[in-house]
Amino acid sequence: MVEKTHTNSNSVISLTLGILSILIPFVGLILGGIGVVVSRKAAKELVIINQGGSGLATSGLMFVA
């Protein structure tokens, strides 16, 4: 099994956008939509390139939903 050494940057971005979508009232709707797209993109990348950060991508998606 290959060791996962790097965290996917899209996972971190999706978590950040998910948190900001809760904290910022009206702009949060736009940030939430972008967060969903980035989170889905990160989940697909994690399977292909074997990086860490799947929990961050999932958490970002949960904050938005």
Side-chain angles (χ1 to χ4, degrees), residues 20-29:
L20 288 176
S21 71
I22 293 174
L23 297 177
I24 302 174
F26 297 109
V27 181
L29 293 172

Side-chain angles (χ1 to χ4, degrees), residues 3-65:
E3 189 174 321
K4 297 178 184 179
T5 57
H6 298 288
T7 302
N8 190 332
S9 60
N10 284 332
S11 298
V12 177
I13 292 170
S14 71
L15 179 62
T16 304
L17 289 174
I19 292 171
L20 288 176
S21 71
I22 293 174
L23 297 177
I24 302 174
F26 297 109
V27 181
L29 293 172
I30 297 169
L31 294 177
I34 296 170
V36 168
V37 171
V38 173
S39 178
R40 299 294 294 167
K41 181 180 175 185
K44 290 178 183 177
E45 285 180 358
L46 290 171
V47 173
I48 295 170
I49 56 179
N50 197 22
Q51 286 184 337
S54 63
L56 296 176
T58 304
S59 299
L61 188 61
M62 288 174 49
F63 272 117
V64 172

